[in-house]
């Protein structure tokens, strides 16, 4: 669940922060390349440790569901309690969608960085395989400028993504397994010049086919070069 995943992420990051402090690490590289995401709350927990300010922050804006029909939602990953509370949780809209009632999203209650947050220089690696919750984190990091983002345009869309809950079912004849999102979510991000794109890196470094053949990570090398230059 979101809650248990957030708790595990917090425990992991507390341990990581302790190791970083004990080794006096001043530069941290967060590699989100080919990270397809996971539970939303894990990105929020990660941000609480990596924010460059102690001020409260915003993460998710409004979310809209495409249906409240239990004939479909019985095939989803929603629990019985969620389905039983649909009338309170989903607010009908004129366009046929349903606004998700913010009162039901407990993860948005206390968005404050932890006192033991990382206070050094952060570098974030992204590429086209950075998607879902990983792309969301990169978008919030980009908007709030908490680190230097290096690599290639991410997957997903800077302003928000589809996901959260999914229909999951197998077609009876072909046996194809389908998984389709039920929620369109927005992120609280500052506007960019070109809307509708993925998260754009601050320093663009394209991966080449020959890099794979000779195991040359030119994107990570660029980060190391930036670290060296900042130390001069």
């Amino acid at each position: 669940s979101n809650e248990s995943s957030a708790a595990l992420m917090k425990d992991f990051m507390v341990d990581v922060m302790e190791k970083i402090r004990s080794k006096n690490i001043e530069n941290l590289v967060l590699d989100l390349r080919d990270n397809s995401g996971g539970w939303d709350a894990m990105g929020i927990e990660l941000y609480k440790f990596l924010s460059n300010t102690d001020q409260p922050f915003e993460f998710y804006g409004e979310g809209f569901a495409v249906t409240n029909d239990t004939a479909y939602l019985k095939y989803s990953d929603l629990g019985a309690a969620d389905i039983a509370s649909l009338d309170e949780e989903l607010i009908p809209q004129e366009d046929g969608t349903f606004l998700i009632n913010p009162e039901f999203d407990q993860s948005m209650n206390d968005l404050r960085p932890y006192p033991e947050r990382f206070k050094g220089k952060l570098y974030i690696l992204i590429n086209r395989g950075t998607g879902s919750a990983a792309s969301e984190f990169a978008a919030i990091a980009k908007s709030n400028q908490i680190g230097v983002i290096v690599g290639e345009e991410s997957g997903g869309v800077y302003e928000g993504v589809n996901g959260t809950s999914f229909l999951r079912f197998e077609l009876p004849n072909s046996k194809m397994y389908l998984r389709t999102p039920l929620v369109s979510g927005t992120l609280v991000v500052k506007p960019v010049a070109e809307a509708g794109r993925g998260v754009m890196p601050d320093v663009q470094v394209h991966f080449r086919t020959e890099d794979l053949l000779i195991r040359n990570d030119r994107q990570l090398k660029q980060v190391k070069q930036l670290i060296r230059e900042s130390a001069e």
Side-chain angles (χ1 to χ4, degrees):
S1 69
N2 244 334
E3 292 75 15
S4 61
S5 297
L8 289 171
M9 174 63 83
K10 182 177 181 180
D11 290 343
F12 170 75
M13 288 301 298
V14 166
D15 183 54
V16 168
M17 290 296 109
E18 180 56 39
K19 291 177 180 176
I20 287 173
R21 283 192 295 273
S22 67
K23 296 182 179 181
N24 297 314
I25 291 174
E26 299 178 355
N27 297 283
L28 179 63
V29 181
L30 174 64
D31 193 347
L32 296 179
R33 292 175 297 177
D34 299 317
N35 186 319
S36 58
W39 289 105
D40 300 335
M42 297 180 76
I44 295 172
E45 282 298 307
L46 181 61
Y47 192 90
K48 290 178 180 179
F49 284 99
L50 299 182
S51 173
N52 59 0
T53 172
D54 292 319
Q55 297 302 311
F57 62 93
E58 295 181 288
F59 207 98
Y60 291 106
E62 292 181 326
F64 295 89
V66 296
T67 183
N68 68 345
D69 191 337
T70 55
Y72 292 98
L73 296 179
K74 68 181 181 181
Y75 296 106
S76 75
D77 51 13
L78 292 173
D82 288 315
I83 291 179
S85 63
L86 288 177
D87 289 342
E88 300 173 77
E89 189 168 354
L90 300 181
I91 304 171
Q93 304 294 293
E94 290 184 0
D95 64 357
T97 63
F98 299 83
L99 173 67
I100 297 175
N101 190 337
E103 295 180 7
F104 278 79
D105 195 349
Q106 300 302 315
S107 65
M108 298 295 105
N109 285 351
D110 185 24
L111 298 186
R112 294 177 178 271
Y114 292 123
E116 60 267 54
R117 66 179 178 82
F118 178 66
K119 297 180 181 179
K121 192 74 177 285
L122 176 65
Y123 299 86
I124 303 170
L125 285 163
I126 63 172
N127 66 3
R128 68 194 68 183
T130 304
S132 194
S135 178
E136 292 172 354
F137 175 91
I140 299 297
K142 172 83 173 183
S143 178
N144 295 333
Q145 299 181 310
I146 69 166
V148 179
I149 301 179
V150 178
E152 299 170 291
E153 178 181 1
S154 76
V157 176
Y158 171 77
E159 292 83 7
V161 301
N162 298 328
T164 306
S165 295
F166 295 82
L167 289 177
R168 307 166 190 263
F169 52 93
E170 184 181 273
L171 296 179
N173 295 320
S174 66
K175 303 303 179 183
M176 290 179 63
Y177 174 74
L178 300 182
R179 182 171 177 266
T180 186
L182 290 168
V183 175
S184 173
T186 58
L187 296 169
V188 181
V189 290
K190 299 177 181 68
V192 290
E194 192 173 0
R197 298 285 300 268
V199 180
M200 304 302 291
D202 301 311
V203 180
Q204 188 163 276
V205 182
H206 288 295
F207 187 82
R208 303 174 185 173
T209 303
E210 56 265 31
D211 293 328
L212 180 63
L213 297 175
I214 61 174
R215 300 192 177 187
N216 176 43
D217 191 341
R218 66 175 62 246
Q219 294 165 341
L220 182 57
K221 284 183 177 179
Q222 178 65 64
V223 169
K224 292 179 179 179
Q225 179 61 32
L226 292 173
I227 293 172
R228 284 192 293 269
E229 290 174 358
S230 68
E232 292 176 355

